[in-house]
Amino acid sequence: MAAPPSVAIYPGSFDPITNGHLDLISRASRMVDLLVVAVLRNQSKHPLFSVEERREMIHEATGGFSNVEVTSFEGLLVDFAASRGASMILRGIRAVSDYELEWQMALMNRRLRPEIETVFLTAGEEYSFISSNLVKEVASLGGSVTGIVPLSVEARLQRKFAARAV
Ligand code: ADP
């Protein structure tokens, strides 16, 4: 009997997607049959981009991967993962500072659904300083984010901040 397809969920805010996220997606897409990039619908955060805009940007940036799907979810991550038949949750570690919160979340998620494993990948060192928050801050002040985010994200950031300036 054939083994069931391996499915991993890569959850996050992706506000916006960066080349650090993309590096992780590229590594993970080689490890599983299907990688579901899932934008969290979180009422308590105040994102720059709407969930739909974030999904569009991820979609544009991941078009070259045949086994990557883009979606959004709300509620408990492990319940969403189970509903998609996923056995893995993928998270990224940039530096030691990411570790504590990621470790807490991984243990809580294991408690909730022990059959789902959290897998951590490290981004390439050239991406390890990149965060969506830093990208937004630099772009809002007119700094260049070329090479740090996909081209389409760069253009959208410029439009967003130009619209805010008027
Ligand atoms: P969240 O709001 O859940 O932290 P993010 O969109 O910021 O979502 O990030 C999603 C995941 O990707 C997190 O596990 C984060 O640590 C990881 N990540 C973000 N940027 C990078 C990067 N440059 N290198 C490696 N992992 C990253």
Side-chain angles (χ1 to χ4, degrees), residues 39-73:
V39 178
L40 171 63
R41 292 183 179 271
N42 186 340
Q43 309 293 350
S44 63
K45 285 195 180 176
H46 297 286
L48 177 65
F49 292 101
S50 69
V51 169
E52 286 63 37
E53 288 174 309
R54 283 180 269 158
R55 283 179 60 162
E56 270 172 35
M57 287 186 278
I58 301 171
H59 204 75
E60 286 160 8
T62 59
F65 301 102
S66 59
N67 63 339
V68 172
E69 180 190 318
V70 186
T71 189
S72 54
F73 75 103

Short mmCIF file of all heavy atoms in Angstrom, two decimals, residues 39-73:
data_model
loop_
_atom_site.label_atom_id
_atom_site.label_comp_id
_atom_site.label_asym_id
_atom_site.label_seq_id
_atom_site.Cartn_x
_atom_site.Cartn_y
_atom_site.Cartn_z
N VAL A 39 -1.77 31.73 6.24
CA VAL A 39 -1.76 33.06 6.88
C VAL A 39 -2.77 33.04 8.03
O VAL A 39 -3.94 32.71 7.85
CB VAL A 39 -2.17 34.14 5.86
CG1 VAL A 39 -2.21 35.52 6.52
CG2 VAL A 39 -1.22 34.15 4.67
N LEU A 40 -2.27 33.41 9.20
CA LEU A 40 -3.14 33.42 10.38
C LEU A 40 -4.04 34.66 10.35
O LEU A 40 -3.55 35.78 10.24
CB LEU A 40 -2.26 33.43 11.65
CG LEU A 40 -2.99 33.65 12.97
CD1 LEU A 40 -3.97 32.51 13.25
CD2 LEU A 40 -1.99 33.78 14.11
N ARG A 41 -5.35 34.43 10.46
CA ARG A 41 -6.30 35.55 10.61
C ARG A 41 -6.37 35.87 12.09
O ARG A 41 -7.01 35.14 12.85
CB ARG A 41 -7.69 35.16 10.13
CG ARG A 41 -7.79 34.95 8.65
CD ARG A 41 -9.21 34.65 8.21
NE ARG A 41 -9.26 34.48 6.78
CZ ARG A 41 -9.46 35.46 5.92
NH1 ARG A 41 -9.68 36.70 6.34
NH2 ARG A 41 -9.45 35.23 4.62
N ASN A 42 -5.67 36.93 12.48
CA ASN A 42 -5.57 37.24 13.91
C ASN A 42 -6.14 38.63 14.17
O ASN A 42 -5.58 39.63 13.73
CB ASN A 42 -4.08 37.18 14.32
CG ASN A 42 -3.89 37.34 15.80
OD1 ASN A 42 -4.76 37.84 16.49
ND2 ASN A 42 -2.74 36.91 16.29
N GLN A 43 -7.25 38.65 14.90
CA GLN A 43 -7.95 39.94 15.12
C GLN A 43 -7.12 40.89 16.00
O GLN A 43 -7.25 42.10 15.91
CB GLN A 43 -9.30 39.70 15.83
CG GLN A 43 -10.17 38.65 15.19
CD GLN A 43 -10.69 39.06 13.81
OE1 GLN A 43 -10.54 40.20 13.40
NE2 GLN A 43 -11.24 38.11 13.06
N SER A 44 -6.25 40.31 16.84
CA SER A 44 -5.60 41.17 17.83
C SER A 44 -4.37 41.91 17.28
O SER A 44 -3.91 42.87 17.86
CB SER A 44 -5.21 40.36 19.06
OG SER A 44 -4.28 39.38 18.70
N LYS A 45 -3.85 41.45 16.13
CA LYS A 45 -2.72 42.16 15.54
C LYS A 45 -3.24 43.22 14.58
O LYS A 45 -4.35 43.14 14.09
CB LYS A 45 -1.81 41.18 14.78
CG LYS A 45 -0.96 40.32 15.70
CD LYS A 45 0.17 39.65 14.93
CE LYS A 45 1.03 38.78 15.85
NZ LYS A 45 2.07 38.05 15.11
N HIS A 46 -2.43 44.25 14.32
CA HIS A 46 -2.83 45.29 13.37
C HIS A 46 -1.91 45.23 12.17
O HIS A 46 -0.89 45.93 12.11
CB HIS A 46 -2.78 46.66 14.03
CG HIS A 46 -3.74 46.78 15.17
ND1 HIS A 46 -5.10 46.91 14.99
CD2 HIS A 46 -3.55 46.73 16.51
CE1 HIS A 46 -5.70 46.93 16.17
NE2 HIS A 46 -4.78 46.82 17.10
N PRO A 47 -2.23 44.36 11.21
CA PRO A 47 -1.32 44.15 10.08
C PRO A 47 -1.32 45.34 9.12
O PRO A 47 -2.28 46.11 9.07
CB PRO A 47 -1.89 42.91 9.41
CG PRO A 47 -3.33 42.90 9.77
CD PRO A 47 -3.45 43.56 11.10
N LEU A 48 -0.22 45.47 8.36
CA LEU A 48 -0.15 46.49 7.31
C LEU A 48 -0.98 46.04 6.11
O LEU A 48 -1.71 46.82 5.53
CB LEU A 48 1.32 46.69 6.90
CG LEU A 48 1.58 47.67 5.77
CD1 LEU A 48 1.17 49.10 6.17
CD2 LEU A 48 3.05 47.65 5.36
N PHE A 49 -0.86 44.75 5.76
CA PHE A 49 -1.57 44.22 4.60
C PHE A 49 -2.74 43.34 5.07
O PHE A 49 -2.62 42.62 6.07
CB PHE A 49 -0.63 43.36 3.75
CG PHE A 49 0.46 44.15 3.07
CD1 PHE A 49 1.76 44.17 3.59
CD2 PHE A 49 0.21 44.88 1.91
CE1 PHE A 49 2.77 44.90 2.97
CE2 PHE A 49 1.22 45.60 1.28
CZ PHE A 49 2.50 45.62 1.81
N SER A 50 -3.83 43.37 4.30
CA SER A 50 -4.97 42.50 4.63
C SER A 50 -4.57 41.04 4.39
O SER A 50 -3.58 40.77 3.69
CB SER A 50 -6.17 42.85 3.75
OG SER A 50 -5.90 42.46 2.41
N VAL A 51 -5.35 40.13 4.93
CA VAL A 51 -5.06 38.70 4.72
C VAL A 51 -5.07 38.39 3.23
O VAL A 51 -4.21 37.65 2.74
CB VAL A 51 -6.09 37.82 5.48
CG1 VAL A 51 -5.98 36.36 5.06
CG2 VAL A 51 -5.91 37.97 6.98
N GLU A 52 -6.01 39.00 2.50
CA GLU A 52 -6.10 38.72 1.05
C GLU A 52 -4.85 39.24 0.33
O GLU A 52 -4.30 38.56 -0.54
CB GLU A 52 -7.37 39.37 0.46
CG GLU A 52 -8.66 38.63 0.82
CD GLU A 52 -8.97 38.63 2.32
OE1 GLU A 52 -8.69 39.65 2.99
OE2 GLU A 52 -9.46 37.60 2.82
N GLU A 53 -4.39 40.43 0.70
CA GLU A 53 -3.17 40.96 0.08
C GLU A 53 -1.98 40.06 0.40
O GLU A 53 -1.13 39.80 -0.46
CB GLU A 53 -2.87 42.38 0.60
CG GLU A 53 -3.81 43.45 0.08
CD GLU A 53 -3.56 44.81 0.75
OE1 GLU A 53 -3.50 44.89 1.99
OE2 GLU A 53 -3.43 45.79 0.01
N ARG A 54 -1.91 39.60 1.64
CA ARG A 54 -0.78 38.74 2.03
C ARG A 54 -0.81 37.42 1.26
O ARG A 54 0.21 36.92 0.81
CB ARG A 54 -0.81 38.51 3.54
CG ARG A 54 -0.29 39.73 4.30
CD ARG A 54 -0.33 39.51 5.77
NE ARG A 54 -1.57 39.95 6.36
CZ ARG A 54 -2.05 39.52 7.51
NH1 ARG A 54 -1.41 38.61 8.21
NH2 ARG A 54 -3.18 39.98 7.99
N ARG A 55 -2.02 36.88 1.12
CA ARG A 55 -2.14 35.63 0.34
C ARG A 55 -1.70 35.84 -1.10
O ARG A 55 -1.00 35.01 -1.67
CB ARG A 55 -3.59 35.13 0.38
CG ARG A 55 -3.93 34.46 1.69
CD ARG A 55 -5.35 33.99 1.71
NE ARG A 55 -5.65 33.02 0.65
CZ ARG A 55 -6.70 32.23 0.67
NH1 ARG A 55 -7.54 32.26 1.69
NH2 ARG A 55 -6.91 31.38 -0.30
N GLU A 56 -2.12 36.96 -1.68
CA GLU A 56 -1.74 37.26 -3.08
C GLU A 56 -0.23 37.34 -3.22
O GLU A 56 0.35 36.79 -4.16
CB GLU A 56 -2.33 38.61 -3.49
CG GLU A 56 -3.70 38.54 -4.12
CD GLU A 56 -4.29 39.93 -4.32
OE1 GLU A 56 -3.53 40.89 -4.62
OE2 GLU A 56 -5.51 40.05 -4.15
N MET A 57 0.41 38.04 -2.28
CA MET A 57 1.87 38.22 -2.37
C MET A 57 2.59 36.87 -2.26
O MET A 57 3.56 36.61 -2.96
CB MET A 57 2.36 39.18 -1.28
CG MET A 57 1.99 40.62 -1.56
SD MET A 57 2.71 41.76 -0.36
CE MET A 57 1.56 41.62 0.99
N ILE A 58 2.10 36.00 -1.34
CA ILE A 58 2.74 34.68 -1.17
C ILE A 58 2.53 33.87 -2.45
O ILE A 58 3.43 33.20 -2.96
CB ILE A 58 2.16 33.92 0.04
CG1 ILE A 58 2.36 34.74 1.33
CG2 ILE A 58 2.81 32.55 0.19
CD1 ILE A 58 1.62 34.18 2.54
N HIS A 59 1.31 33.97 -2.98
CA HIS A 59 0.97 33.25 -4.20
C HIS A 59 1.91 33.66 -5.34
O HIS A 59 2.47 32.81 -6.03
CB HIS A 59 -0.47 33.59 -4.56
CG HIS A 59 -1.11 32.56 -5.39
ND1 HIS A 59 -1.53 31.35 -4.89
CD2 HIS A 59 -1.38 32.53 -6.72
CE1 HIS A 59 -2.03 30.64 -5.87
NE2 HIS A 59 -1.95 31.32 -6.98
N GLU A 60 2.09 34.96 -5.50
CA GLU A 60 2.97 35.48 -6.57
C GLU A 60 4.40 34.96 -6.38
O GLU A 60 5.07 34.57 -7.33
CB GLU A 60 2.98 37.02 -6.56
CG GLU A 60 1.71 37.65 -7.10
CD GLU A 60 1.53 39.11 -6.66
OE1 GLU A 60 2.46 39.70 -6.05
OE2 GLU A 60 0.43 39.63 -6.89
N ALA A 61 4.85 34.95 -5.12
CA ALA A 61 6.26 34.60 -4.85
C ALA A 61 6.52 33.10 -4.91
O ALA A 61 7.67 32.68 -5.06
CB ALA A 61 6.66 35.15 -3.48
N THR A 62 5.48 32.29 -4.75
CA THR A 62 5.69 30.84 -4.68
C THR A 62 5.19 30.11 -5.92
O THR A 62 5.12 28.87 -5.93
CB THR A 62 5.02 30.22 -3.42
OG1 THR A 62 3.61 30.49 -3.49
CG2 THR A 62 5.60 30.77 -2.14
N GLY A 63 4.88 30.88 -6.96
CA GLY A 63 4.35 30.28 -8.20
C GLY A 63 5.27 29.22 -8.79
O GLY A 63 4.81 28.30 -9.46
N GLY A 64 6.56 29.32 -8.53
CA GLY A 64 7.53 28.38 -9.10
C GLY A 64 7.56 27.03 -8.39
O GLY A 64 8.23 26.11 -8.86
N PHE A 65 6.88 26.91 -7.28
CA PHE A 65 6.88 25.63 -6.54
C PHE A 65 5.57 24.89 -6.82
O PHE A 65 4.50 25.40 -6.53
CB PHE A 65 7.00 25.87 -5.03
CG PHE A 65 8.23 26.61 -4.61
CD1 PHE A 65 8.17 27.96 -4.29
CD2 PHE A 65 9.45 25.96 -4.54
CE1 PHE A 65 9.31 28.65 -3.91
CE2 PHE A 65 10.60 26.64 -4.17
CZ PHE A 65 10.53 28.00 -3.84
N SER A 66 5.70 23.68 -7.36
CA SER A 66 4.48 22.97 -7.76
C SER A 66 3.74 22.36 -6.57
O SER A 66 2.56 22.03 -6.66
CB SER A 66 4.83 21.88 -8.77
OG SER A 66 5.75 20.98 -8.17
N ASN A 67 4.43 22.20 -5.43
CA ASN A 67 3.77 21.51 -4.29
C ASN A 67 3.52 22.47 -3.11
O ASN A 67 3.43 22.04 -1.98
CB ASN A 67 4.60 20.31 -3.83
CG ASN A 67 5.96 20.71 -3.30
OD1 ASN A 67 6.46 21.79 -3.61
ND2 ASN A 67 6.56 19.85 -2.49
N VAL A 68 3.40 23.77 -3.42
CA VAL A 68 3.12 24.75 -2.36
C VAL A 68 1.73 25.33 -2.58
O VAL A 68 1.40 25.78 -3.68
CB VAL A 68 4.19 25.87 -2.34
CG1 VAL A 68 3.79 26.98 -1.37
CG2 VAL A 68 5.55 25.31 -1.95
N GLU A 69 0.92 25.29 -1.51
CA GLU A 69 -0.43 25.84 -1.57
C GLU A 69 -0.51 27.02 -0.60
O GLU A 69 0.16 26.99 0.43
CB GLU A 69 -1.40 24.73 -1.15
CG GLU A 69 -2.85 25.11 -1.15
CD GLU A 69 -3.71 24.02 -0.48
OE1 GLU A 69 -3.48 22.80 -0.72
OE2 GLU A 69 -4.58 24.41 0.32
N VAL A 70 -1.31 28.01 -0.91
CA VAL A 70 -1.43 29.19 -0.03
C VAL A 70 -2.86 29.30 0.46
O VAL A 70 -3.80 29.23 -0.33
CB VAL A 70 -1.04 30.48 -0.79
CG1 VAL A 70 -1.02 31.67 0.18
CG2 VAL A 70 0.29 30.33 -1.49
N THR A 71 -3.02 29.47 1.78
CA THR A 71 -4.36 29.61 2.31
C THR A 71 -4.31 30.46 3.58
O THR A 71 -3.27 31.03 3.92
CB THR A 71 -4.99 28.21 2.57
OG1 THR A 71 -6.37 28.37 2.89
CG2 THR A 71 -4.30 27.47 3.71
N SER A 72 -5.44 30.57 4.27
CA SER A 72 -5.46 31.28 5.56
C SER A 72 -6.31 30.47 6.52
O SER A 72 -7.08 29.60 6.10
CB SER A 72 -6.01 32.70 5.39
OG SER A 72 -7.27 32.64 4.76
N PHE A 73 -6.15 30.75 7.80
CA PHE A 73 -6.92 30.00 8.80
C PHE A 73 -7.12 30.87 10.03
O PHE A 73 -6.41 31.86 10.23
CB PHE A 73 -6.20 28.69 9.18
CG PHE A 73 -5.00 28.90 10.08
CD1 PHE A 73 -5.07 28.63 11.44
CD2 PHE A 73 -3.81 29.39 9.57
CE1 PHE A 73 -3.98 28.83 12.28
CE2 PHE A 73 -2.71 29.60 10.40
CZ PHE A 73 -2.79 29.32 11.75
#
